[in-house]
Amino acid sequence: MDFCNRYGLPFVSPNNMLVSIINGTGAGLEAFYVLVFLIFAPKKEKAKISGILCVVLSIFSTVALVSMLALHGNKRKVFSGFAAAIFSIIMYGSPLSIMVCIFKSYLS
């Protein structure tokens, strides 16, 4: 799930239809990729990715429920925007985690 997509929804930030369309399309493609992977992956990998998917969906659901039930107006928009920014940084920074493996192999 894409937190930026949630940020662009009308009940969080009105008049952001382009954000919703672009990020909704991206979220749909990501869901398709994960589904294809789960169909063709070995059992061990399916279990691992399914577990990660459950954690991600749980975090997304918790953030969405908190913003919908506990926050209103501008506070909801700011909270959703910060969540989108934090998770975008994590998403784009995660490939850098492979750098640890590269440095370990280089130093060994």
Side-chain angles (χ1 to χ4, degrees):
M1 290 289 158
D2 192 359
F3 284 94
C4 292
N5 193 25
R6 176 161 168 38
Y7 178 73
L9 294 176
F11 54 83
V12 175
S13 181
N15 301 322
N16 274 339
M17 191 55 92
L18 288 176
V19 173
S20 295
I21 292 170
I22 292 167
N23 289 315
T25 303
L29 287 171
E30 290 172 22
F32 176 73
Y33 297 151
V34 170
L35 179 65
V36 169
F37 178 83
L38 290 174
I39 290 171
F40 294 107
K43 283 188 178 185
K44 183 178 179 182
E45 294 297 319
K46 280 184 188 181
K48 180 181 175 184
I49 297 301
S50 295
I52 292 171
L53 181 63
C54 288
V55 169
V56 169
L57 291 176
S58 297
I59 292 170
F60 179 80
S61 299
T62 301
V63 170
L65 285 173
V66 166
S67 73
M68 288 302 298
L69 300 176
L71 303 171
H72 301 286
N74 197 42
K75 288 182 181 180
R76 180 183 293 164
K77 186 187 231 183
V78 169
F79 179 77
S80 296
F82 272 115
I86 289 167
F87 287 101
S88 291
I89 290 168
I90 291 170
M91 180 180 72
Y92 289 113
S94 64
L96 294 176
S97 65
I98 197 67
M99 294 301 288
V100 174
C101 295
I102 292 170
F103 286 131
K104 283 182 180 178
S105 67
Y106 180 74
L107 296 174
S108 297

